Amino acid sequence: MPRQGHRPVAVVSFAQADNVRRELRRNEVETLMPVFAEVFSNIGITKDDVGFICSGSTDYLAGGPFSFVSALDAIGVWPPRTESHVEMDGAWALYEAWVRLQEGDIDAALVYGFGKSSMSDLSKVLALQLDPYVLAPLWPDPVSVAALQARSLLDAGKATERDFAEVAARSRKAALSNPKAQVAYDRNVAELMGEDYVVSPLRTHTLPPITDGAAAIVLAAGDKAFEWAERPAWITGIDHRVETHSLGARDLTASASTTKAAEVAGVNDGTVEVAELHAPFAPQELIVAAALGLGDDVLVNPSGGALAANPIMSAGLIRIGEAASRIMDGSAGRVVAHATSGPALQQNLVAVLEGV
Amino acid sequence: MADSADDVLTSAHVLEYPYSRSVGPVIGAFLTGLRDGKIIGATGSGGVVIVPPTEYDPYTAEPTGEMVEVGPEGTVESWAWVGTPAPQHPLETPFAWVLVRLDGAGTSMLHVLDAPSPDAVSTKMRVRADFVAEGERIGRIQDIRAFVPAGSA
């Protein structure tokens, strides 16, 4: 159950859109509408049953300030509802909603994340999240930044290129049983190692797909969670930490912020059965798993993780949803979810979820 | 759904964020240094020189102190080879992104390395900053055209 002093809050419903390379016909509102319908109907509630709404998205994709406000049309917020937004992955919107529920005056919240990567060039858009004076003018794209991190890992002797391929092979194979996966295959490591470099030392298989998508979660507190779900996934620990924006001032082979968040969330206060890690690039999974202190017996990314589908601004929230689903479906008793934001794992959120 | 749906209406939307920024005393000193052909760092907690400089130490959050010149040579701490540069990249020919620890600095700086092939690049190799010509430098990170292998012409 929740750590001392925290009001018990649980994930009680999760839904996600189909993850696709290019969603041509539906805009963000039209993408979100069926996701909301599903996340509410899973537990037989309506929008009127949640007291708070929080979303995560980025205006840089749509190319208009406050474009996230229009996404509320997918809910139809009348009468007016308290609502908030983070220019971050929906996992951080979930964190805000969790904090809001600690206030005690409302019992449920809707959290969602969405983004259409296909409307712009992510290699440019994501370069703009870097320092605007000394980094962004050089346009280091996300693949290049991840490649610098991967090289550091190789140089430090912490991993090999074969290790990267093994992460990719295992993730894409697991994704074969995930109906929402965008990239799933059963290919052996030797075959993957034969691929060309995109930006060395990263070959094609180490990269996440570019994805249009959306996801939503309903959080409920206390008795309300048991009223709506047979097996709520109780959030027994949650924390997030950030490191410096200066890439050259960080140890790129480790994730100090993940380790700190894991400590505060209490990851190793019990056995971890399943971990859903938001590691868009294959080498990053090795860094995050080590930072969390996960043992070899932990089932990592049974969904295929972000290598199977990486919808910008919801891939982290989906990790929480997938991990919570393992509790809600009764297949696990204690799981960990991780979300990342920023270049080269700059900021990390860790949540522990448990059944009762 | 197919990508090539002829019935979907699309059009280009060019987005710009034309903000003017004041760079302040620390980044301002760094950019002014570049204009003058010098690389300037800031002394952080415990005497670690941070390059590019920040107003606050990235580890302790204490204000940084004395500005000192570093480089222009340094050591490659990590690199990534770009075989197919994008139009927005600083170099038109294949190049390496490098994290360079400049001599005298305690942190690394991201820039590009102008090298003929990935075989010519390695971690711990020595490189130096190649500035654009005096008079053409205006106080921006691109005043360093690229890093080049140390000892090269």
Side-chain angles (χ1 to χ4, degrees), chain B residues 60-98:
Chain B
T60 66
E62 295 293 322
T64 50
E66 191 190 355
M67 307 292 289
V68 294
E69 187 175 349
V70 297
E73 291 198 3
T75 304
V76 170
E77 295 292 332
S78 187
W79 60 281
W81 184 258
V82 180
T84 311
Q88 68 269 24
H89 284 155
L91 297 178
E92 291 177 5
T93 51
F95 68 93
W97 293 105
V98 281

Side-chain angles (χ1 to χ4, degrees), chain A residues 22 141 144 148 151 155 248-249, chain B residues 3 59 78-79 89 97 108 123:
Chain A
R22 194 170 281 111
D141 53 273
S144 295
L148 285 165
R151 175 84 59 196
D155 287 341
Chain B
D3 281 357
Y59 310 108
S78 187
W79 60 281
H89 284 155
W97 293 105
S108 302
T123 302

Side-chain angles (χ1 to χ4, degrees), chain A residues 12-49:
Chain A
V12 291
S13 183
F14 165 59
Q16 63 177 311
D18 289 333
N19 293 294
V20 295
R21 173 64 184 86
R22 194 170 281 111
E23 172 55 70
L24 283 171
R25 288 182 173 77
R26 291 175 177 169
N27 62 22
E28 293 88 336
V29 169
E30 291 161 336
T31 300
L32 281 165
M33 287 179 77
V35 175
F36 292 146
E38 184 182 339
V39 84
F40 289 141
S41 68
N42 279 344
I43 51 175
I45 67 168
T46 73
K47 64 183 173 67
D48 298 324
D49 292 306

Side-chain angles (χ1 to χ4, degrees), chain A residues 1-2 6-14 39 43 45 50 94 97-99 101-102 106-111 216-238 320-321 323-325 327-328 351-356:
Chain A
M1 286 303 288
H6 288 161
R7 185 185 188 207
V9 169
V11 173
V12 291
S13 183
F14 165 59
V39 84
I43 51 175
I45 67 168
V50 297
L94 181 139
W98 177 84
V99 171
L101 286 166
Q102 296 305 311
I106 56 167
D107 294 329
L110 170 70
V111 179
I217 277 176
V218 174
L219 293 180
D223 294 342
K224 190 64 89 176
F226 283 120
E227 192 184 313
W228 288 347
E230 200 174 321
R231 265 180 69 86
W234 295 99
I235 299 170
T236 56
I238 186 166
I320 299 174
S325 296
I327 301 289
M328 292 190 286
V352 179
L353 299 107
E354 297 180 46
V356 174

